[in-house]
Amino acid sequence: MDQLPAALERAGNEESWAVADAISSVLKNSDELRSWRRRLLSACMKGLVAMYSSSRGESKQEAERFMLLRLEELLRVVEEVDPDDWCSLVKTGLKYRYRDETFLKVLNVAIQLLYKSESS
């Protein structure tokens, strides 16, 4: 379980995400669930940064879309991120995917979720 978040950072690991979902289900009523989800969120952001950096201009659309949707899902339940992970994702994402509609939509949702309490 401890090595799974690192495996999730690699592109095309839908099977590993299925295992992560199963672990989340087992931890459903546990105190460890929030910590587990934060680790998954961090792995998801690091995975996106790695994908964007390695593929530069060419997009691995299906894998990126999967990870972006996963990112949005995790942000809705965790509602907080590691500042370094967030900065790296925004910087790298805007550098390489500033024209990608899916990236921009998820970024907008993320900004709304993460900064909603500051604007209220």
Side-chain angles (χ1 to χ4, degrees), residues 13-99:
N13 267 341
E14 287 82 11
E15 298 85 15
S16 295
W17 280 101
V19 172
D21 289 340
I23 292 171
S24 295
S25 294
V26 169
L27 295 174
K28 190 174 186 176
N29 296 320
S30 166
D31 296 337
E32 296 177 46
L33 182 60
R34 184 161 183 76
S35 172
W36 174 246
R37 285 181 172 162
R38 289 186 74 191
R39 291 172 60 201
L40 294 179
L41 179 60
S42 179
C44 186
M45 288 191 289
K46 288 176 182 174
L48 282 165
V49 168
M51 273 192 262
Y52 294 155
S53 298
S54 68
S55 62
R56 309 259 171 185
E58 64 220 39
S59 172
K60 297 175 183 172
Q61 284 186 326
E62 215 38 53
E64 286 179 14
R65 181 171 163 68
F66 174 83
M67 292 288 278
L68 284 166
L69 294 175
R70 181 60 63 147
L71 174 67
E72 183 178 347
E73 175 187 320
L74 287 165
L75 280 169
R76 289 185 186 281
V77 293
V78 177
E79 295 183 336
E80 60 183 286
V81 296
D82 177 89
D84 292 334
D85 291 343
W86 174 244
C87 182
S88 184
L89 174 68
V90 171
K91 181 179 174 183
T92 308
L94 289 173
K95 182 175 183 179
Y96 297 114
R97 297 295 183 268
Y98 64 92
R99 293 184 183 185

